[in-house]
Amino acid sequence: MTVDAAIEQTLSQMPEELKREVLNYATYLLSKYGDRKTSENSTGKKRRSGILQGMFVLPLPDDFDEPLEDFQDYMW
């Protein structure tokens, strides 16, 4: 059974009051999400590779793992 057929079957069993509620909710959903084509396109900008190229310098300095002077008050 398709989704449309299941919706139609369920709606045919509802009283008019509930059908109006379903219509109101469906209208709300269309106004909120109707402009989206797919959930994949709603993620925003596509990622680009290589935008951080040159930001990190390797190899790391020899004192990389040494404690920082700023944190001496918090060290044991």
Side-chain angles (χ1 to χ4, degrees):
M1 176 180 284
T2 66
V3 173
D4 291 333
I7 291 171
E8 288 177 18
Q9 181 182 9
T10 304
L11 282 174
S12 68
Q13 298 171 5
M14 288 183 176
E16 284 297 314
E17 293 175 18
L18 287 179
K19 288 179 184 179
R20 274 192 269 277
E21 290 292 323
V22 170
L23 177 61
N24 289 338
Y25 186 62
T27 305
Y28 162 75
L29 289 176
L30 278 175
S31 68
K32 185 171 182 179
Y33 301 108
D35 59 341
R36 295 184 185 178
K37 294 182 181 168
T38 63
S39 61
E40 295 174 6
N41 293 338
S42 65
T43 58
K45 296 180 180 178
K46 291 185 178 180
R47 295 182 182 189
R48 293 184 344 202
S49 61
I51 60 173
L52 294 177
Q53 187 173 1
M55 298 290 290
F56 301 101
V57 179
L58 293 176
L60 296 174
D62 292 335
D63 66 344
F64 179 77
D65 289 329
E66 297 299 317
L68 298 174
E69 293 176 14
D70 296 341
F71 293 107
Q72 289 299 322
D73 294 340
Y74 305 103
M75 304 289 285
W76 294 89

